[in-house]
Amino acid sequence: MKKVLYVDDDQEMIEIVKIVLANSGYELLTTVQGEKAVDICEREQPDLVLMDLNMPGLDGFAATQKLREQGFSNPIIALSASESDSDRQKARQAGCNDYVLKTLDMQGLENTIDTFIAEAGGL
């Protein structure tokens, strides 16, 4: 079973993503802190990370950059409510593979996860 790590300080969003991915065949790991995301990635080696960008402490930009510096090469998808072009660019510079807006259309999120895992040789 493929592992997806979802990092978000919004517990309601975590619950929504859990529902969206419940029947998708993925094992969902979650944390509310960027620091813990780095530890989980080192220990669990998830196939894909969904990374909220705006969190207290180590934010998603810094957590992504730290993961990349440590050699984590699996896809990292920024998941953000911000439509800012500068946030998109900053996410790419940090090492995110894609940028998905948090919306009520979560089918698009599942499709993005499927695509990146398949491209990484996982499906």
Side-chain angles (χ1 to χ4, degrees):
M1 181 177 286
K2 297 297 175 184
K3 292 180 196 174
V4 173
L5 171 61
Y6 181 35
V7 186
D8 199 324
D9 63 331
D10 183 342
Q11 193 62 42
E12 287 182 23
M13 279 304 298
I14 289 174
E15 294 305 316
I16 290 170
V17 171
K18 280 182 183 178
I19 291 167
V20 169
L21 297 182
N23 297 315
S24 65
Y26 298 117
E27 176 184 352
L28 183 63
L29 309 171
T30 63
T31 185
V32 296
Q33 297 176 335
E35 297 90 352
K36 289 192 179 189
V38 174
D39 293 339
I40 290 170
C41 284
E42 186 176 319
R43 199 174 54 251
E44 299 287 333
Q45 290 297 305
D47 298 285
L48 182 137
V49 176
L50 294 173
M51 183 72 73
D52 182 35
L53 298 176
N54 297 311
M55 297 180 289
L58 190 67
D59 67 17
F61 299 107
T64 297
Q65 187 170 7
K66 189 168 186 176
L67 286 168
R68 294 303 190 208
E69 288 170 356
Q70 293 178 349
F72 184 81
S73 61
N74 290 344
I76 300 175
I77 309 300
L79 191 59
S80 178
S82 172
E83 294 185 41
S84 161
D85 286 338
S86 64
D87 279 351
R88 285 178 189 271
Q89 183 177 8
K90 190 175 172 184
R92 289 269 187 200
Q93 290 172 342
C96 290
N97 298 85
D98 202 357
Y99 189 98
V100 176
L101 288 175
K102 289 182 183 179
T103 67
L104 295 178
D105 174 23
M106 295 307 255
Q107 181 62 43
L109 175 62
E110 186 174 354
N111 291 341
T112 299
I113 292 169
D114 291 344
T115 299
F116 274 95
I117 287 184
E119 287 176 0
L123 284 179

